[in-house]
Amino acid sequence: MTRSSPPPPLDLEPLLDTLARLADRTAAEGPWHSGAFAAAARHGLLATFIADRDGGTGLGEPAIVAALVAIAERCLTTALVVTQWAAAVRILAAAPADVRAALLPRLARGADPTTVGISQLTTSRRHLGRPALAAVRDGDTWRLDGLCPWVTGADSTHTIVTGAACADGDQAFFVVATDAAGLTIEPPLAMLALSGSRTSVVRFDGVRPVAMIESPTAAAARTGGLSTSALAAGAARAAVAVIAREAAVRPGLAGVAAEFAGEVDALRGRLLAAADRGIESADRDRLRADANGLVVRVAQAALTASKGAGFVAGHPVERLVRESLFFLGWSCPQAVADAFLCELTA
Ligand SMILES: Cc1cc2nc3c(=O)[nH]c(=O)nc-3n(C[C@H](O)[C@H](O)[C@H](O)COP(=O)(O)OP(=O)(O)OC[C@H]3O[C@@H](n4cnc5c(N)ncnc54)[C@H](O)[C@@H]3O)c2cc1C
């Protein structure tokens, strides 16, 4: 592909086959190293998140949500990484034209991967009463000091799109090169699941950003968006598939498999409708709460159906159970967390 050739249209089925085949390697090495990220670019997935005017193919939200459900079913690590990449790209869409022209057409083709580190503005370390990452104007540029507590793929990407608190209390968004002077990427966190996402703490000591983005849309920088629920729906579908496989030889499980399959289909239908027609914030939280509840329940049902065998490291179900717990923390709005705690204590 030449520098100026347009990105390919989305070719989902072959991409899904590739991601499923690479899933074990991706879980261990991360999608940048297993070939999964390159496949996402080659089969046109990445370009779907970028508007035509910026060198992408700009697929509509419903098709994107459907693709994310299907990808999360095959490989949750890739789905997480693509979602964080897409979150960065959505903020970049509000950048000045010269920044967009320099970055977005290349990103649409899978070059110079990016990621996002904005949880310090939304869900992380908010109780500390002081900004985790501070931005100070310095002549015609800025300097960033502090940290991003969570950056997926920080050590495997070229740029981080981040947000910081300014002295006047406003928030501003920046593009930072991962090899910038003063930027330190800590070794990826060893986590309960999804360690292949290579998620790190990133420290800033007088870092000069490549660009500033004045006003991304509120939607670009919020938690609990439809993508996060789409990933939970996909993970739930993977657990339903396990129960259905067991049910093929144990008819007593058929009803359970059918019941959960119906619930996942209904959740997916609600997600697609919301992507099509738009959704109010309270309904978005309700969807995320339902998605969280379902993915946790169905993973536990899959473990119950798989019995002790599913508890042994390396069995697909023990991974699905660990991965289901990811949704209780990741990009989870406080209202959703509160509702879940309420349910658990009932
Ligand atoms: C695998 C994974 C990948 C992620 N990738 C990204 C990414 O790429 N980009 C990104 O921006 N974000 C990312 N996140 C961050 C995520 O979206 C959430 O922001 C994050 O999980 C919030 O958890 P936290 O521990 O930082 O929350 P915090 O609120 O900071 O809680 C940490 C601890 O502080 C204490 N605490 C919390 N609230 C209070 C309080 N009110 N009073 C006193 N003490 C309190 C508790 O002991 C708690 O355990 C990722 C998360 C995960 C799990």
Side-chain angles (χ1 to χ4, degrees), residues 45 48-49 59-73 75-76 78-88 90 116 219-236 267-268 270-272 274-275 279 284-285 287-288 291-292 295 326-327 330-333:
L45 176 72
T48 64
F49 295 94
L59 212 58
E61 270 307 296
I64 286 181
V65 165
L68 286 175
V69 172
I71 289 166
E73 183 183 355
C75 178
L76 192 59
T78 299
L80 166 60
V81 165
V82 167
T83 304
Q84 301 309 85
W85 178 95
R90 285 194 157 112
V116 74
R222 73 167 166 234
T223 55
L226 293 182
S227 302
T228 68
S229 299
L231 264 52
L267 176 69
R268 183 175 176 278
R270 284 168 64 199
L271 277 165
L272 295 183
I279 188 168
R284 196 174 48 243
D285 283 0
L287 254 179
R288 175 66 195 262
N292 273 16
V295 69
F326 159 68
F327 295 98
W330 175 60
S331 197
C332 189

Short mmCIF file of all heavy atoms in Angstrom, two decimals, residues 45 48-49 59-73 75-76 78-88 90 116 219-236 267-268 270-272 274-275 279 284-285 287-288 291-292 295 326-327 330-333:
data_model
loop_
_atom_site.label_atom_id
_atom_site.label_comp_id
_atom_site.label_asym_id
_atom_site.label_seq_id
_atom_site.Cartn_x
_atom_site.Cartn_y
_atom_site.Cartn_z
N LEU A 45 -10.49 -2.31 9.69
CA LEU A 45 -11.21 -1.97 10.92
C LEU A 45 -10.83 -0.58 11.43
O LEU A 45 -11.68 0.22 11.80
CB LEU A 45 -10.94 -3.02 12.02
CG LEU A 45 -11.59 -2.66 13.35
CD1 LEU A 45 -13.11 -2.83 13.29
CD2 LEU A 45 -11.02 -3.48 14.50
N THR A 48 -12.39 2.55 9.98
CA THR A 48 -13.83 2.80 10.19
C THR A 48 -14.07 3.85 11.27
O THR A 48 -15.13 4.47 11.30
CB THR A 48 -14.59 1.51 10.61
OG1 THR A 48 -14.09 1.07 11.87
CG2 THR A 48 -14.44 0.41 9.60
N PHE A 49 -13.09 4.04 12.16
CA PHE A 49 -13.26 5.00 13.26
C PHE A 49 -12.91 6.43 12.85
O PHE A 49 -13.03 7.34 13.65
CB PHE A 49 -12.38 4.60 14.45
CG PHE A 49 -12.77 3.29 15.09
CD1 PHE A 49 -12.16 2.10 14.72
CD2 PHE A 49 -13.75 3.25 16.07
CE1 PHE A 49 -12.51 0.90 15.32
CE2 PHE A 49 -14.10 2.06 16.68
CZ PHE A 49 -13.48 0.88 16.29
N LEU A 59 -17.26 4.54 9.13
CA LEU A 59 -18.45 3.70 9.24
C LEU A 59 -19.36 4.27 10.33
O LEU A 59 -18.90 4.88 11.29
CB LEU A 59 -18.00 2.30 9.65
CG LEU A 59 -18.80 1.10 9.16
CD1 LEU A 59 -18.88 1.08 7.64
CD2 LEU A 59 -18.17 -0.19 9.67
N GLY A 60 -20.66 4.03 10.24
CA GLY A 60 -21.60 4.52 11.26
C GLY A 60 -21.44 3.77 12.58
O GLY A 60 -20.90 2.65 12.61
N GLU A 61 -21.95 4.38 13.65
CA GLU A 61 -21.84 3.80 15.00
C GLU A 61 -22.41 2.37 15.10
O GLU A 61 -21.77 1.52 15.71
CB GLU A 61 -22.55 4.67 16.03
CG GLU A 61 -21.69 5.76 16.67
CD GLU A 61 -20.39 5.26 17.29
OE1 GLU A 61 -20.45 4.47 18.25
OE2 GLU A 61 -19.33 5.65 16.81
N PRO A 62 -23.61 2.10 14.53
CA PRO A 62 -24.13 0.73 14.69
C PRO A 62 -23.18 -0.33 14.14
O PRO A 62 -22.97 -1.37 14.78
CB PRO A 62 -25.45 0.76 13.91
CG PRO A 62 -25.85 2.20 13.90
CD PRO A 62 -24.58 2.98 13.84
N ALA A 63 -22.59 -0.08 12.98
CA ALA A 63 -21.68 -1.08 12.40
C ALA A 63 -20.42 -1.21 13.26
O ALA A 63 -19.87 -2.32 13.43
CB ALA A 63 -21.31 -0.68 10.97
N ILE A 64 -19.96 -0.10 13.83
CA ILE A 64 -18.78 -0.16 14.69
C ILE A 64 -19.08 -0.96 15.96
O ILE A 64 -18.29 -1.82 16.38
CB ILE A 64 -18.30 1.28 15.04
CG1 ILE A 64 -17.63 1.89 13.81
CG2 ILE A 64 -17.36 1.26 16.23
CD1 ILE A 64 -17.09 3.29 14.02
N VAL A 65 -20.25 -0.70 16.54
CA VAL A 65 -20.63 -1.44 17.76
C VAL A 65 -20.74 -2.94 17.45
O VAL A 65 -20.24 -3.79 18.21
CB VAL A 65 -21.94 -0.87 18.35
CG1 VAL A 65 -22.56 -1.82 19.36
CG2 VAL A 65 -21.67 0.49 19.00
N ALA A 66 -21.36 -3.27 16.32
CA ALA A 66 -21.50 -4.70 15.95
C ALA A 66 -20.12 -5.33 15.77
O ALA A 66 -19.88 -6.47 16.21
CB ALA A 66 -22.32 -4.81 14.67
N ALA A 67 -19.20 -4.60 15.14
CA ALA A 67 -17.85 -5.14 14.94
C ALA A 67 -17.15 -5.35 16.28
O ALA A 67 -16.48 -6.37 16.50
CB ALA A 67 -17.03 -4.20 14.05
N LEU A 68 -17.31 -4.41 17.21
CA LEU A 68 -16.64 -4.54 18.51
C LEU A 68 -17.17 -5.73 19.31
O LEU A 68 -16.40 -6.43 19.97
CB LEU A 68 -16.77 -3.24 19.33
CG LEU A 68 -15.91 -2.07 18.84
CD1 LEU A 68 -16.23 -0.81 19.64
CD2 LEU A 68 -14.41 -2.40 18.94
N VAL A 69 -18.49 -5.98 19.23
CA VAL A 69 -19.04 -7.16 19.91
C VAL A 69 -18.37 -8.43 19.35
O VAL A 69 -17.92 -9.30 20.10
CB VAL A 69 -20.58 -7.25 19.72
CG1 VAL A 69 -21.12 -8.56 20.27
CG2 VAL A 69 -21.29 -6.06 20.39
N ALA A 70 -18.30 -8.50 18.02
CA ALA A 70 -17.75 -9.70 17.38
C ALA A 70 -16.26 -9.87 17.70
O ALA A 70 -15.78 -10.98 17.92
CB ALA A 70 -17.97 -9.61 15.87
N ILE A 71 -15.53 -8.77 17.73
CA ILE A 71 -14.09 -8.85 18.01
C ILE A 71 -13.86 -9.26 19.46
O ILE A 71 -13.01 -10.11 19.76
CB ILE A 71 -13.42 -7.50 17.67
CG1 ILE A 71 -13.40 -7.33 16.15
CG2 ILE A 71 -12.00 -7.42 18.24
CD1 ILE A 71 -13.09 -5.94 15.68
N ALA A 72 -14.63 -8.66 20.38
CA ALA A 72 -14.46 -9.01 21.80
C ALA A 72 -14.75 -10.48 22.04
O ALA A 72 -14.16 -11.10 22.93
CB ALA A 72 -15.36 -8.13 22.67
N GLU A 73 -15.66 -11.05 21.26
CA GLU A 73 -15.96 -12.48 21.41
C GLU A 73 -14.73 -13.32 21.06
O GLU A 73 -14.47 -14.34 21.68
CB GLU A 73 -17.15 -12.86 20.51
CG GLU A 73 -17.57 -14.30 20.67
CD GLU A 73 -18.70 -14.69 19.72
OE1 GLU A 73 -19.22 -13.81 19.00
OE2 GLU A 73 -19.06 -15.89 19.71
N CYS A 75 -11.35 -12.08 20.82
CA CYS A 75 -10.11 -11.70 21.50
C CYS A 75 -10.33 -10.38 22.25
O CYS A 75 -10.32 -9.31 21.66
CB CYS A 75 -8.97 -11.54 20.48
SG CYS A 75 -7.43 -11.02 21.24
N LEU A 76 -10.51 -10.50 23.55
CA LEU A 76 -10.82 -9.30 24.33
C LEU A 76 -9.61 -8.36 24.41
O LEU A 76 -9.78 -7.14 24.49
CB LEU A 76 -11.31 -9.69 25.74
CG LEU A 76 -11.93 -8.56 26.54
CD1 LEU A 76 -13.14 -7.94 25.83
CD2 LEU A 76 -12.34 -9.05 27.94
N THR A 78 -7.43 -7.68 22.01
CA THR A 78 -7.46 -6.83 20.81
C THR A 78 -8.60 -5.83 20.89
O THR A 78 -8.44 -4.65 20.55
CB THR A 78 -7.60 -7.70 19.53
OG1 THR A 78 -6.48 -8.57 19.46
CG2 THR A 78 -7.64 -6.83 18.28
N ALA A 79 -9.76 -6.28 21.38
CA ALA A 79 -10.91 -5.37 21.47
C ALA A 79 -10.60 -4.20 22.39
O ALA A 79 -10.92 -3.05 22.08
CB ALA A 79 -12.14 -6.13 21.96
N LEU A 80 -9.94 -4.47 23.52
CA LEU A 80 -9.57 -3.39 24.44
C LEU A 80 -8.59 -2.42 23.77
O LEU A 80 -8.77 -1.20 23.82
CB LEU A 80 -8.93 -3.98 25.72
CG LEU A 80 -8.19 -2.99 26.62
CD1 LEU A 80 -9.08 -1.87 27.13
CD2 LEU A 80 -7.54 -3.72 27.80
N VAL A 81 -7.57 -2.98 23.13
CA VAL A 81 -6.55 -2.13 22.51
C VAL A 81 -7.16 -1.27 21.40
O VAL A 81 -6.88 -0.06 21.30
CB VAL A 81 -5.39 -3.00 21.98
CG1 VAL A 81 -4.51 -2.23 21.02
CG2 VAL A 81 -4.59 -3.55 23.16
N VAL A 82 -8.01 -1.86 20.59
CA VAL A 82 -8.66 -1.09 19.51
C VAL A 82 -9.56 0.00 20.11
O VAL A 82 -9.62 1.13 19.62
CB VAL A 82 -9.45 -2.02 18.57
CG1 VAL A 82 -10.38 -1.23 17.66
CG2 VAL A 82 -8.49 -2.88 17.74
N THR A 83 -10.24 -0.32 21.21
CA THR A 83 -11.13 0.66 21.84
C THR A 83 -10.33 1.85 22.38
O THR A 83 -10.76 3.01 22.24
CB THR A 83 -11.93 -0.01 22.98
OG1 THR A 83 -12.63 -1.12 22.43
CG2 THR A 83 -12.94 0.93 23.58
N GLN A 84 -9.16 1.58 22.97
CA GLN A 84 -8.34 2.68 23.50
C GLN A 84 -7.75 3.50 22.35
O GLN A 84 -7.66 4.72 22.41
CB GLN A 84 -7.24 2.14 24.43
CG GLN A 84 -7.76 1.35 25.63
CD GLN A 84 -8.83 2.08 26.43
OE1 GLN A 84 -10.01 2.03 26.11
NE2 GLN A 84 -8.45 2.79 27.46
N TRP A 85 -7.35 2.81 21.29
CA TRP A 85 -6.87 3.49 20.07
C TRP A 85 -7.99 4.39 19.52
O TRP A 85 -7.75 5.55 19.18
CB TRP A 85 -6.45 2.42 19.05
CG TRP A 85 -5.98 2.91 17.73
CD1 TRP A 85 -4.69 3.13 17.34
CD2 TRP A 85 -6.80 3.24 16.60
NE1 TRP A 85 -4.66 3.58 16.05
CE2 TRP A 85 -5.93 3.66 15.57
CE3 TRP A 85 -8.17 3.23 16.36
CZ2 TRP A 85 -6.40 4.06 14.31
CZ3 TRP A 85 -8.64 3.64 15.12
CH2 TRP A 85 -7.75 4.04 14.11
N ALA A 86 -9.21 3.84 19.48
CA ALA A 86 -10.33 4.61 18.93
C ALA A 86 -10.68 5.80 19.81
O ALA A 86 -11.09 6.86 19.31
CB ALA A 86 -11.55 3.69 18.76
N ALA A 87 -10.53 5.64 21.13
CA ALA A 87 -10.80 6.76 22.03
C ALA A 87 -9.82 7.91 21.74
O ALA A 87 -10.20 9.09 21.73
CB ALA A 87 -10.69 6.31 23.49
N ALA A 88 -8.56 7.55 21.49
CA ALA A 88 -7.57 8.58 21.15
C ALA A 88 -7.94 9.26 19.83
O ALA A 88 -7.92 10.49 19.71
CB ALA A 88 -6.18 7.94 21.04
N ARG A 90 -10.86 9.57 18.47
CA ARG A 90 -12.06 10.41 18.60
C ARG A 90 -11.68 11.79 19.14
O ARG A 90 -12.27 12.79 18.75
CB ARG A 90 -13.09 9.76 19.51
CG ARG A 90 -13.78 8.60 18.83
CD ARG A 90 -15.04 8.16 19.60
NE ARG A 90 -15.94 7.47 18.71
CZ ARG A 90 -16.25 6.17 18.78
NH1 ARG A 90 -15.73 5.43 19.72
NH2 ARG A 90 -17.06 5.63 17.90
N VAL A 116 -4.66 6.11 24.54
CA VAL A 116 -5.28 7.19 25.30
C VAL A 116 -4.92 7.06 26.78
O VAL A 116 -4.81 5.95 27.31
CB VAL A 116 -6.81 7.15 25.08
CG1 VAL A 116 -7.47 6.00 25.83
CG2 VAL A 116 -7.46 8.45 25.45
N ALA A 219 -18.49 13.64 24.33
CA ALA A 219 -18.60 12.20 24.10
C ALA A 219 -17.24 11.55 23.94
O ALA A 219 -17.05 10.38 24.26
CB ALA A 219 -19.45 11.95 22.86
N ALA A 220 -16.26 12.32 23.42
CA ALA A 220 -14.95 11.72 23.15
C ALA A 220 -14.21 11.39 24.43
O ALA A 220 -13.34 10.53 24.44
CB ALA A 220 -14.12 12.67 22.28
N ALA A 221 -14.52 12.09 25.51
CA ALA A 221 -13.73 11.92 26.73
C ALA A 221 -14.59 11.51 27.92
O ALA A 221 -14.37 11.93 29.03
CB ALA A 221 -13.02 13.24 27.03
N ARG A 222 -15.57 10.60 27.67
CA ARG A 222 -16.38 10.19 28.81
C ARG A 222 -16.24 8.67 29.04
O ARG A 222 -15.74 7.94 28.19
CB ARG A 222 -17.84 10.55 28.59
CG ARG A 222 -18.49 9.66 27.56
CD ARG A 222 -19.99 9.77 27.54
NE ARG A 222 -20.48 9.15 26.33
CZ ARG A 222 -21.29 9.75 25.46
NH1 ARG A 222 -21.67 10.99 25.64
NH2 ARG A 222 -21.68 9.11 24.40
N THR A 223 -16.73 8.26 30.22
CA THR A 223 -16.65 6.84 30.56
C THR A 223 -17.94 6.14 30.15
O THR A 223 -18.96 6.77 29.90
CB THR A 223 -16.52 6.67 32.08
OG1 THR A 223 -17.61 7.35 32.71
CG2 THR A 223 -15.22 7.23 32.58
N GLY A 224 -17.86 4.81 30.14
CA GLY A 224 -19.08 4.01 30.00
C GLY A 224 -19.80 4.18 28.67
O GLY A 224 -21.01 4.00 28.60
N GLY A 225 -19.08 4.54 27.61
CA GLY A 225 -19.68 4.69 26.29
C GLY A 225 -20.17 3.33 25.77
O GLY A 225 -19.92 2.29 26.38
N LEU A 226 -20.85 3.38 24.62
CA LEU A 226 -21.41 2.14 24.08
C LEU A 226 -20.34 1.11 23.76
O LEU A 226 -20.57 -0.09 23.86
CB LEU A 226 -22.22 2.45 22.82
CG LEU A 226 -23.49 3.28 23.03
CD1 LEU A 226 -24.21 3.47 21.70
CD2 LEU A 226 -24.41 2.63 24.06
N SER A 227 -19.12 1.59 23.39
CA SER A 227 -18.05 0.64 23.06
C SER A 227 -17.73 -0.25 24.26
O SER A 227 -17.47 -1.44 24.10
CB SER A 227 -16.76 1.38 22.68
OG SER A 227 -16.98 2.22 21.61
N THR A 228 -17.74 0.35 25.45
CA THR A 228 -17.36 -0.45 26.62
C THR A 228 -18.42 -1.54 26.86
O THR A 228 -18.07 -2.68 27.20
CB THR A 228 -17.20 0.43 27.89
OG1 THR A 228 -18.47 0.96 28.29
CG2 THR A 228 -16.23 1.57 27.65
N SER A 229 -19.68 -1.21 26.65
CA SER A 229 -20.74 -2.22 26.81
C SER A 229 -20.68 -3.24 25.67
O SER A 229 -21.00 -4.42 25.88
CB SER A 229 -22.11 -1.55 26.84
OG SER A 229 -22.19 -0.65 27.93
N ALA A 230 -20.27 -2.80 24.48
CA ALA A 230 -20.14 -3.73 23.35
C ALA A 230 -19.09 -4.80 23.67
O ALA A 230 -19.26 -5.98 23.35
CB ALA A 230 -19.75 -2.96 22.08
N LEU A 231 -17.99 -4.39 24.32
CA LEU A 231 -16.96 -5.36 24.67
C LEU A 231 -17.49 -6.37 25.69
O LEU A 231 -17.20 -7.57 25.61
CB LEU A 231 -15.71 -4.65 25.23
CG LEU A 231 -14.60 -4.37 24.22
CD1 LEU A 231 -15.09 -3.66 22.99
CD2 LEU A 231 -13.43 -3.67 24.86
N ALA A 232 -18.31 -5.88 26.64
CA ALA A 232 -18.88 -6.80 27.63
C ALA A 232 -19.83 -7.79 26.94
O ALA A 232 -19.85 -8.98 27.26
CB ALA A 232 -19.61 -6.01 28.72
N ALA A 233 -20.62 -7.29 25.98
CA ALA A 233 -21.54 -8.18 25.25
C ALA A 233 -20.75 -9.26 24.49
O ALA A 233 -21.14 -10.44 24.47
CB ALA A 233 -22.41 -7.38 24.28
N GLY A 234 -19.64 -8.86 23.87
CA GLY A 234 -18.82 -9.84 23.13
C GLY A 234 -18.21 -10.88 24.06
O GLY A 234 -18.20 -12.08 23.76
N ALA A 235 -17.71 -10.41 25.22
CA ALA A 235 -17.12 -11.35 26.19
C ALA A 235 -18.19 -12.30 26.70
O ALA A 235 -17.94 -13.50 26.89
CB ALA A 235 -16.49 -10.57 27.35
N ALA A 236 -19.40 -11.79 26.91
CA ALA A 236 -20.50 -12.65 27.36
C ALA A 236 -20.82 -13.70 26.29
O ALA A 236 -21.08 -14.87 26.60
CB ALA A 236 -21.74 -11.80 27.66
N LEU A 267 -29.24 -7.79 24.61
CA LEU A 267 -28.31 -6.70 24.97
C LEU A 267 -27.68 -6.11 23.70
O LEU A 267 -27.61 -4.88 23.54
CB LEU A 267 -27.21 -7.25 25.90
CG LEU A 267 -26.13 -6.25 26.27
CD1 LEU A 267 -26.68 -5.15 27.18
CD2 LEU A 267 -24.95 -6.94 26.96
N ARG A 268 -27.28 -7.00 22.80
CA ARG A 268 -26.68 -6.53 21.54
C ARG A 268 -27.69 -5.69 20.76
O ARG A 268 -27.35 -4.64 20.21
CB ARG A 268 -26.22 -7.73 20.71
CG ARG A 268 -25.51 -7.38 19.42
CD ARG A 268 -24.99 -8.64 18.75
NE ARG A 268 -24.40 -8.35 17.45
CZ ARG A 268 -25.09 -8.21 16.33
NH1 ARG A 268 -26.41 -8.32 16.34
NH2 ARG A 268 -24.45 -7.96 15.19
N ARG A 270 -30.15 -3.90 21.98
CA ARG A 270 -30.29 -2.59 22.64
C ARG A 270 -29.10 -1.70 22.30
O ARG A 270 -29.24 -0.48 22.07
CB ARG A 270 -30.37 -2.78 24.16
CG ARG A 270 -31.72 -3.29 24.64
CD ARG A 270 -31.65 -3.72 26.10
NE ARG A 270 -31.35 -2.64 27.01
CZ ARG A 270 -30.88 -2.81 28.26
NH1 ARG A 270 -30.67 -4.03 28.72
NH2 ARG A 270 -30.63 -1.78 29.03
N LEU A 271 -27.91 -2.30 22.25
CA LEU A 271 -26.71 -1.52 21.91
C LEU A 271 -26.79 -0.96 20.50
O LEU A 271 -26.47 0.21 20.26
CB LEU A 271 -25.46 -2.41 22.02
CG LEU A 271 -24.87 -2.60 23.41
CD1 LEU A 271 -23.89 -3.78 23.44
CD2 LEU A 271 -24.15 -1.31 23.82
N LEU A 272 -27.22 -1.82 19.57
CA LEU A 272 -27.30 -1.37 18.17
C LEU A 272 -28.35 -0.28 18.01
O LEU A 272 -28.14 0.71 17.30
CB LEU A 272 -27.61 -2.54 17.24
CG LEU A 272 -26.52 -3.63 17.16
CD1 LEU A 272 -26.91 -4.70 16.16
CD2 LEU A 272 -25.16 -3.04 16.79
N ALA A 274 -29.28 1.82 20.34
CA ALA A 274 -28.74 3.03 20.96
C ALA A 274 -27.72 3.69 20.04
O ALA A 274 -27.66 4.92 19.92
CB ALA A 274 -28.12 2.69 22.31
N ALA A 275 -26.91 2.86 19.37
CA ALA A 275 -25.91 3.41 18.45
C ALA A 275 -26.59 4.10 17.27
O ALA A 275 -26.09 5.09 16.73
CB ALA A 275 -24.98 2.29 17.97
N ILE A 279 -28.51 8.01 22.68
CA ILE A 279 -28.96 7.52 23.97
C ILE A 279 -28.67 8.56 25.04
O ILE A 279 -27.63 9.24 25.00
CB ILE A 279 -28.27 6.17 24.28
CG1 ILE A 279 -28.86 5.53 25.55
CG2 ILE A 279 -26.77 6.29 24.39
CD1 ILE A 279 -28.43 4.07 25.75
N ARG A 284 -27.59 5.07 29.04
CA ARG A 284 -26.27 4.52 28.71
C ARG A 284 -25.69 3.80 29.94
O ARG A 284 -25.14 2.71 29.84
CB ARG A 284 -25.35 5.65 28.24
CG ARG A 284 -24.11 5.16 27.53
CD ARG A 284 -23.29 6.29 26.94
NE ARG A 284 -23.08 7.35 27.89
CZ ARG A 284 -23.52 8.58 27.76
NH1 ARG A 284 -24.20 8.93 26.69
NH2 ARG A 284 -23.29 9.49 28.69
N ASP A 285 -25.85 4.40 31.10
CA ASP A 285 -25.38 3.77 32.33
C ASP A 285 -26.15 2.48 32.61
O ASP A 285 -25.59 1.48 33.07
CB ASP A 285 -25.53 4.72 33.53
CG ASP A 285 -24.44 5.79 33.55
OD1 ASP A 285 -23.58 5.78 32.64
OD2 ASP A 285 -24.45 6.64 34.47
N LEU A 287 -27.48 0.50 30.38
CA LEU A 287 -26.95 -0.51 29.45
C LEU A 287 -25.63 -1.07 29.97
O LEU A 287 -25.41 -2.28 29.95
CB LEU A 287 -26.68 0.16 28.10
CG LEU A 287 -27.63 -0.14 26.95
CD1 LEU A 287 -27.22 0.63 25.71
CD2 LEU A 287 -27.64 -1.64 26.65
N ARG A 288 -24.76 -0.19 30.44
CA ARG A 288 -23.46 -0.66 30.93
C ARG A 288 -23.64 -1.52 32.17
O ARG A 288 -22.99 -2.56 32.33
CB ARG A 288 -22.55 0.55 31.22
CG ARG A 288 -21.20 0.21 31.85
CD ARG A 288 -20.29 -0.60 30.92
NE ARG A 288 -19.20 -1.20 31.67
CZ ARG A 288 -17.97 -0.68 31.74
NH1 ARG A 288 -17.67 0.39 31.07
NH2 ARG A 288 -17.04 -1.29 32.45
N ALA A 291 -24.87 -4.83 31.01
CA ALA A 291 -23.78 -5.55 30.34
C ALA A 291 -22.81 -6.12 31.37
O ALA A 291 -22.39 -7.28 31.27
CB ALA A 291 -23.06 -4.62 29.37
N ASN A 292 -22.47 -5.32 32.37
CA ASN A 292 -21.57 -5.79 33.43
C ASN A 292 -22.16 -6.99 34.16
O ASN A 292 -21.49 -8.00 34.39
CB ASN A 292 -21.31 -4.67 34.45
CG ASN A 292 -20.17 -3.76 34.05
OD1 ASN A 292 -19.76 -3.76 32.90
ND2 ASN A 292 -19.67 -2.98 34.99
N VAL A 295 -22.18 -10.16 31.83
CA VAL A 295 -20.90 -10.80 31.52
C VAL A 295 -20.36 -11.55 32.74
O VAL A 295 -19.80 -12.65 32.61
CB VAL A 295 -19.87 -9.77 30.95
CG1 VAL A 295 -19.39 -8.77 31.97
CG2 VAL A 295 -18.68 -10.50 30.34
N PHE A 326 -12.86 -7.64 34.58
CA PHE A 326 -12.27 -6.41 34.04
C PHE A 326 -13.32 -5.30 33.94
O PHE A 326 -13.06 -4.12 34.22
CB PHE A 326 -11.68 -6.76 32.68
CG PHE A 326 -11.46 -5.64 31.72
CD1 PHE A 326 -10.51 -4.66 31.96
CD2 PHE A 326 -12.19 -5.57 30.54
CE1 PHE A 326 -10.29 -3.64 31.05
CE2 PHE A 326 -11.98 -4.56 29.63
CZ PHE A 326 -11.03 -3.59 29.88
N PHE A 327 -14.56 -5.69 33.58
CA PHE A 327 -15.60 -4.68 33.33
C PHE A 327 -16.06 -3.98 34.61
O PHE A 327 -16.67 -2.92 34.54
CB PHE A 327 -16.79 -5.33 32.60
CG PHE A 327 -16.40 -5.80 31.23
CD1 PHE A 327 -16.08 -7.14 30.99
CD2 PHE A 327 -16.29 -4.90 30.19
CE1 PHE A 327 -15.68 -7.56 29.73
CE2 PHE A 327 -15.89 -5.32 28.93
CZ PHE A 327 -15.58 -6.64 28.70
N TRP A 330 -12.89 -1.13 34.56
CA TRP A 330 -12.49 -0.36 33.37
C TRP A 330 -13.59 0.60 32.91
O TRP A 330 -14.72 0.17 32.67
CB TRP A 330 -12.15 -1.32 32.24
CG TRP A 330 -11.84 -0.64 30.94
CD1 TRP A 330 -10.85 0.25 30.70
CD2 TRP A 330 -12.55 -0.82 29.70
NE1 TRP A 330 -10.89 0.64 29.38
CE2 TRP A 330 -11.92 0.01 28.75
CE3 TRP A 330 -13.65 -1.60 29.33
CZ2 TRP A 330 -12.35 0.07 27.44
CZ3 TRP A 330 -14.08 -1.53 28.02
CH2 TRP A 330 -13.42 -0.70 27.09
N SER A 331 -13.22 1.87 32.83
CA SER A 331 -14.12 2.90 32.30
C SER A 331 -15.55 2.76 32.85
O SER A 331 -16.52 2.92 32.12
CB SER A 331 -14.12 2.85 30.77
OG SER A 331 -14.66 4.04 30.26
N CYS A 332 -15.64 2.43 34.13
CA CYS A 332 -16.95 2.16 34.73
C CYS A 332 -17.45 3.42 35.44
O CYS A 332 -16.86 3.87 36.41
CB CYS A 332 -16.83 1.00 35.72
SG CYS A 332 -18.43 0.42 36.31
N PRO A 333 -18.56 4.01 34.97
CA PRO A 333 -19.09 5.21 35.62
C PRO A 333 -19.41 4.93 37.09
O PRO A 333 -19.85 3.82 37.43
CB PRO A 333 -20.36 5.51 34.83
CG PRO A 333 -20.22 4.78 33.54
CD PRO A 333 -19.40 3.57 33.83
#
